[in-house]
């Protein structure tokens, strides 16, 4: 018999290497890791130079025209005077000698809110209607509370931005200590009315409605005093019966509880929200699209074939609902629409929900054209939020001017207002200003967030006034169509995963009330000196004492430095980073709100970007803690008696204690992870020693932080679970590197001994393994062993190496990885053993074992440097190393089937067809079993368990967004792969059977 030739195997090796190279390129493209400097604006700095406090004017009587709107505004002046220690003035109509007279005069400005104040021994406020009169009174009240001089020069005062919206604050939300203490409720539902809904008639709990009514009135009155003139309230579908569709019962059949409930909600909450309208505020309802209920979805399925969001027929249903809304709630000025978020996490506990369906340019345009048509017929407005997701132009509509023009450029409608976040992304620091706010011909409003969700949920002092002034000035200079702002007082992020602070009601909400106040003041006059705006708020909210208010204002002026240096790693934060088709936020090492991450993907990438400024990046952490400590010292040195209440003093000092402790802990962790990454990168002994020293400091600081703030509802401890998982694995890197070196040496000795001709117990097994690993085409020439030792050793040794190497790869901390890996190998081996049943399996075990050793050598070479941490560090940060490794590793995976095919054909004489069929059968079965197991567990759950153990992606990803959702992995993927595996296995069985039949026919013919 002729000796098998080597060249076919060498050709196969070239082919599998080429396949590996293609896969490596694909992996690199899928990761899409890149970064470039972001156009981050310079830090907004405002020198503190407050105007002196002036005595409050002596106003004993106020003469106002009749009307509740103006009377409410006059009460604000009265409250301001009493807050300054003066007697409460008499407020009424018809007084000829009032100290303050409000007069309605012919219009003198295009703005209904315009007013002017003059003096002729007494103050006279003139306006053309109730809106201007109320605006002027609220402004006077604000100046009085702040200790500012009143301007009474007769000049016309009108707002620079005519639409100034707030969200619904904490209305309808309850301070649930148990829910807030758990800190893991990541629901994003912002519904206001769900707490009042009953499961059956009368459908609403009137007592709860009355509570919500009181909360809403409180919000409206406070917002009016700050200078707002509009409110955005979540809601749409819950108020609609679709009586305008068909005969009125096409969507909801007769007797459907959705109808009775909607009518009850209109009756109950119509008067609640109408109060804002009566007090001079515009009212907008807010909804995600596509808003659905089960009967509505069923109707759309029957009539338009489902969620056909490009079909005008679908939108005609929503037009009917919108028309009904405007008729049943006539005070509503318009509908605000968001298409970029939705799903179960936004549900309110009933069957109204939303779908992420409007994700294309054509569907956005179809939606807006339909909604605007109805809005125009009722003289109402549609506010479209550009916070979008999807493919093509819609995917980056929020930040890309070209996409903005492509999607919205052809829509020209006076009833359309486009609302956009002021940053180029979510509400993080270090982001560029949003360039889409400088383009387009549509009416625009700018979105701001007072309670910054990613920066402590308002628990940390965070004065944004100067930053917002900078943004507004730039947008107004570039775009004359900017006409408003929308400030989020409470919204953004989960409802109960942060401090239990509810705007105007619970906790130290005053800290973020500063930003709510500042946004409104700047919307009236963007050129105001930011520090004076902050100082005005401090005087009326915290302390009117000149010295104390100055100290507090100066401390707040430093608050942004503490936040931007302490919560962000600046070299990374000021880069535009792209990965996995996404743009990771500038924070990343603190994933979603308060989870300090320990995953290698984020931390290694942050190091890579920060490498050239590593020492400064580390020093920033400690520097931020020092800034916070200085703020604390400055505020604590003031006298509690000089504050409006000792409680406010204590709350502010406690907040600064918390910030100083938190930033110090984060500084120690920052140094730990960056020095660890530096050691992974360089192997420097100095970096190693610095890493270990920083880690000790971190562990002490983390323990103290958690012990001090765990369970604190106002100042909750940050979560370090993920950080500790990553830290634990990092600690094992040196030991894993030594284990990998020892294991690699052992495998090398095995292969060397196998290639020698010496005979010793087990030598036959080692020779067979060495031949399979280096010259598998010669494996058929290896004689069968004569001892049991060889027969056991030939499979036992590779099995031990396989288990040991994968344990090293996963720090001995990821049993899920072992189950999947070993399970696939076991299924593969079992099927192939069945294929060669009745024959000596020695050569089969040798073939499989040789490939195991070969693949293990490839893996161990990557692990011997500095353990698994270095392995993943190279994967995330070194494209050349990643490409080389993936090429060789994938080629070795494919090589398994080449070797098995060779041994089945040459060693067992199965022929090419049967060998191919056997390989397909074994590989398909292994895929089907493993993927089927994952599908049975659930892909999201399986990925979560695996990721928790290997710490590659953010730990909070699955708990907040979902790994599959965030990465766009279809949940059915595991099931599809399982089916694909069964198909491949079936094909393999067919090929093998047919090949065996041909062999029998040939033998019979012969």
């Amino acid at each position: 018999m002729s000796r098998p030739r080597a060249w076919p195997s060498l050709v196969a090796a070239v082919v599998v290497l080429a396949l590996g190279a293609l896969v490596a390129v694909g992996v690199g493209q899928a990761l899409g890791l890149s970064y470039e400097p972001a156009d981050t604006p310079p830090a907004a700095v405002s020198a503190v130079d407050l105007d002196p406090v002036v005595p409050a004017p002596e106003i004993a009587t106020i003469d106002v025209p009749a009307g509740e709107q103006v009377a409410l505004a006059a009460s604000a002046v009265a409250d301001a005077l009493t807050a300054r220690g003066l007697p409460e003035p008499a407020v009424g109509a018809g007084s000829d000698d009032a100290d303050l007279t409000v007069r309605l005069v012919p219009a003198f400005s295009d703005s209904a809110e315009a007013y002017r104040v003059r003096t002729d021994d007494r103050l006279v406020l003139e306006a053309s209607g109730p809106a201007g009169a109320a605006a002027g009174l609220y402004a006077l009240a604000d100046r009085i509370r702040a200790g500012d001089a009143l301007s009474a020069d007769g000049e016309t005062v009108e707002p620079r931005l005519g639409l100034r919206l707030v969200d619904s604050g904490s209305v309808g939300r309850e301070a649930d200590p148990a829910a807030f203490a758990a800190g893991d409720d990541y629901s994003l539902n912002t519904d206001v009315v769900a707490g009042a809904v009953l499961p059956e008639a009368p459908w609403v709990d009137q007592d709860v409605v009355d509570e919500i009514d009181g909360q809403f009135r409180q919000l409206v009155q406070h917002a009016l005093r700050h200078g707002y003139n509009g409110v955005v309230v979540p809601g749409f579908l819950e108020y609609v019966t679709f009586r305008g569709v068909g005969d009125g019962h096409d969507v909801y059949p007769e007797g459907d509880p959705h109808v009775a409930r909607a009518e009850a909600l209109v009756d109950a909450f119509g008067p609640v929200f109408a109060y804002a309208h009566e007090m001079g505020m515009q009212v907008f309802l807010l909804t995600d699209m596509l808003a659905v209920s089960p009967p509505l979805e069923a109707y759309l399925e029957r009539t338009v074939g489902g969620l056909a969001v490009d079909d005008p027929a679908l939108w005609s249903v929503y037009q009917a609902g919108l028309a009904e809304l405007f008729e049943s709630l006539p005070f509503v000025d318009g509908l605000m629409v968001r298409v970029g978020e939705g799903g179960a996490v936004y549900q309110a506990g009933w069957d109204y929900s939303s779908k992420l369906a409007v994700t294309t340019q054509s569907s956005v345009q179809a939606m807006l054209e339909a909604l605007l048509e109805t809005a125009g017929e009722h003289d109402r407005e549609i506010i479209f939020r550009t916070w979008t997701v999807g493919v093509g132009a819609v995917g980056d509509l929020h930040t890309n001017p070209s996409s903005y023009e492509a999607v919205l450029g052809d829509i020209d409608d006076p009833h359309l207002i486009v609302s956009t976040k002021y940053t180029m992304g979510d509400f993080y620091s270090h982001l560029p200003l949003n360039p889409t706010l400088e383009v387009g011909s549509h009416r625009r409003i700018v979105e701001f967030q007072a309670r910054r969700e990613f920066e402590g949920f308002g628990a940390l002092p965070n004065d944004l006034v100067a930053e917002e002034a900078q943004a507004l000035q730039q947008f107004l200079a570039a775009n004359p169509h900017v006409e408003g702002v929308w400030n989020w007082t409470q919204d953004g992020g989960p409802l109960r995963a942060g401090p239990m602070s509810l705007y105007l009601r619970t906790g130290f909400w005053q800290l973020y009330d500063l930003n709510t106040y500042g946004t409104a003041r700047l919307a009236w006059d963007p050129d105001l000196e930011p520090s004076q705006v902050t100082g005005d708020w401090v005087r009326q909210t915290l302390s009117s004492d000149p010295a104390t208010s100055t100290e507090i204002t100066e401390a707040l002026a430093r608050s942004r430095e503490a936040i931007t240096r302490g919560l962000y790693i600046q070299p990374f934060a000021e880069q535009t980073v792209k990965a996995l088709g996404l743009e990771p936020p500038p924070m990343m090492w603190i994933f979603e709100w308060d989870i300090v991450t320990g995953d290698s993907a984020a931390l290694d990438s942050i190091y890579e970007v920060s490498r050239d400024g590593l020492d400064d990046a580390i020093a920033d952490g400690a520097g931020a803690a020092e800034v916070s400590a200085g703020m604390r010292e400055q505020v604590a040195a003031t006298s509690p008696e000089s504050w409006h209440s000792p409680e406010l003093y204590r709350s502010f000092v406690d907040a600064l204690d918390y910030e100083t402790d938190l930033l110090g802990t984060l500084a120690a962790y920052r140094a730990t992870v960056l020095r660890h990454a530096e050691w992974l990168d360089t192997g420097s002994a100095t970096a190693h020693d610095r890493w270990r020293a920083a880690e000790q400091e971190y562990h002490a600081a983390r323990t103290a932080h958690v012990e001090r703030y765990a369970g604190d509802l106002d100042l909750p401890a940050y979560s370090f679970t993920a950080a500790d998982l990553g830290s634990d694995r990092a600690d094992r890197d040196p030991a894993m590197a030594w284990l990998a070196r020892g294991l690699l040496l052992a495998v090398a000795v095995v292969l060397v001994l196998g290639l020698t001709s010496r005979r010793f117990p087990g030598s036959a097994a080692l020779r067979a393994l060495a031949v399979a690993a280096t010259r598998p085409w010669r494996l058929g020439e290896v004689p069968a062993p004569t001892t049991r030792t060889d027969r056991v050793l030939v499979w036992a040794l590779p099995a031990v190496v396989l288990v040991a190497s994968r344990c090293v790869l996963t720090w001995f901390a990821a049993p899920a990885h072992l189950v999947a890996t070993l399970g696939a190998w076991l299924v593969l081996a079992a099927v192939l053993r069945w294929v060669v049943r009745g024959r000596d399996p020695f050569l089969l075990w040798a073939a499989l074992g040789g490939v195991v050793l070969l693949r293990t050598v490839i893996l161990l070479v990557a692990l011997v440097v500095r353990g698994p941490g270095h392995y993943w560090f190279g994967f995330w940060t070194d494209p050349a190393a990643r490409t080389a490794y993936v090429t060789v590793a994938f080629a070795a995976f494919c090589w398994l089937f080449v070797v098995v095919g060779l041994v089945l054909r040459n060693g067992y004489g199965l022929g090419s067809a049967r060998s191919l069929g056997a390989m397909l059968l074994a590989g398909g079965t292994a895929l089907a079993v493993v993927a089927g197991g994952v599908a049975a567990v659930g892909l999201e759950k399986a990925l979560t368990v695996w990721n928790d153990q290997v710490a590659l992606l953010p730990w909070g990803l699955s708990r907040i967004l979902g790994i599959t959702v965030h990465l766009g992995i279809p949940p059915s993927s595991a099931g599809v792969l399982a089916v694909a595996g069964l198909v491949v296995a079936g094909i393999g069985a067919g090929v093998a059977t047919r090949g065996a039949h041909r062999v029998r026919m040939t033998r019979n013919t012969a």
Side-chain angles (χ1 to χ4, degrees), residues 188 371 416 600 654 675 974:
L188 299 174
L371 298 181
L416 174 64
S600 62
D654 287 347
R675 292 303 184 193

Side-chain angles (χ1 to χ4, degrees), residues 878-901:
D878 190 339
R882 179 181 64 242
T883 299
Y885 179 81
V886 172
T887 297
V888 175
F890 187 81
F893 167 76
C894 296
W895 186 245
L896 165 67
F897 298 96
V898 174
V899 173
V900 169

Side-chain angles (χ1 to χ4, degrees), residues 225-313:
R225 292 188 177 195
H226 275 351
Y228 291 94
N229 66 354
V231 61
V232 180
V233 181
F236 168 52
L237 210 57
E238 56 265 47
Y239 304 109
V240 173
T241 68
F242 291 103
R243 60 176 178 252
V245 178
D247 65 358
H249 303 292
D250 284 16
V251 175
Y252 297 130
E254 289 192 60
D256 190 307
H258 289 84
V259 175
R261 183 169 58 195
E263 292 172 344
L265 287 170
V266 168
D267 291 341
F269 284 100
V272 173
F273 302 138
Y275 174 75
H277 174 77
E278 294 162 3
M279 294 302 104
M281 297 190 85
Q282 297 186 59
V283 179
F284 291 88
L285 293 186
L286 165 67
T287 186
D288 286 324
M289 279 294 177
L290 204 61
V292 292
S293 64
L296 176 57
E297 280 197 85
Y299 174 78
L300 295 174
E301 184 67 37
R302 293 193 307 270
T303 57
V304 297
L307 305 184
V309 290
D310 290 307
D311 191 340

Side-chain angles (χ1 to χ4, degrees), residues 22-306:
L22 290 175
V23 170
V25 171
V27 169
Q29 292 176 342
L31 290 175
L33 300 173
S34 66
Y35 57 91
E36 61 182 9
D39 187 19
T40 304
V45 179
S46 177
V48 177
D49 184 16
L50 303 182
D51 294 337
V53 176
V54 301
E58 295 186 4
I59 300 175
T61 54
I62 303 175
D63 179 17
V64 296
E68 190 176 355
Q69 179 181 353
V70 181
L72 181 65
S75 71
V77 177
D79 290 344
L81 291 167
T82 57
R84 294 291 305 278
L86 296 177
E88 181 177 356
V91 179
S95 176
D96 294 331
D97 57 351
D99 297 311
L100 171 59
T101 300
V102 179
R103 293 176 181 170
L104 300 184
V105 300
F108 51 87
S109 171
D110 292 336
S111 172
E113 293 181 297
Y115 67 89
R116 57 194 179 202
V117 179
R118 58 181 176 82
T119 180
D120 51 3
D121 297 330
R122 293 180 174 85
L123 291 172
V124 177
L125 189 157
E126 296 178 335
S128 63
L137 288 169
Y138 286 126
L140 289 177
D142 180 74
R143 301 293 90 75
I144 292 169
R145 288 197 307 271
D148 293 341
L150 301 184
S151 176
D153 55 10
E155 293 292 324
T156 298
V157 179
E158 60 184 60
R160 177 66 176 82
L161 299 177
L163 185 59
R164 303 175 303 282
L165 303 174
V166 290
D167 63 3
S168 55
S170 65
V171 175
R173 306 180 190 181
E174 293 307 317
D176 183 341
F180 277 95
D184 57 0
D185 183 350
Y186 293 105
S187 168
L188 299 174
N189 167 60
T190 58
D191 185 85
V192 168
V193 305
V197 176
L198 298 174
E200 56 188 21
W203 301 109
V204 292
D205 184 329
Q206 190 57 46
D207 290 338
V208 178
V209 172
D210 292 341
E211 291 179 11
I212 293 173
D213 181 43
Q215 295 167 7
F216 187 70
R217 287 172 178 256
Q218 179 191 34
L219 172 77
V220 167
Q221 293 171 13
H222 192 79
L224 285 168
R225 292 188 177 195
H226 275 351
Y228 291 94
N229 66 354
V231 61
V232 180
V233 181
F236 168 52
L237 210 57
E238 56 265 47
Y239 304 109
V240 173
T241 68
F242 291 103
R243 60 176 178 252
V245 178
D247 65 358
H249 303 292
D250 284 16
V251 175
Y252 297 130
E254 289 192 60
D256 190 307
H258 289 84
V259 175
R261 183 169 58 195
E263 292 172 344
L265 287 170
V266 168
D267 291 341
F269 284 100
V272 173
F273 302 138
Y275 174 75
H277 174 77
E278 294 162 3
M279 294 302 104
M281 297 190 85
Q282 297 186 59
V283 179
F284 291 88
L285 293 186
L286 165 67
T287 186
D288 286 324
M289 279 294 177
L290 204 61
V292 292
S293 64
L296 176 57
E297 280 197 85
Y299 174 78
L300 295 174
E301 184 67 37
R302 293 193 307 270
T303 57
V304 297

Side-chain angles (χ1 to χ4, degrees), residues 844-859:
L844 174 64
W845 299 147
L848 293 175
V851 175
V852 166
L853 295 181
L854 178 63
R855 294 187 64 198
T856 298
V857 166
I858 295 170
L859 174 63

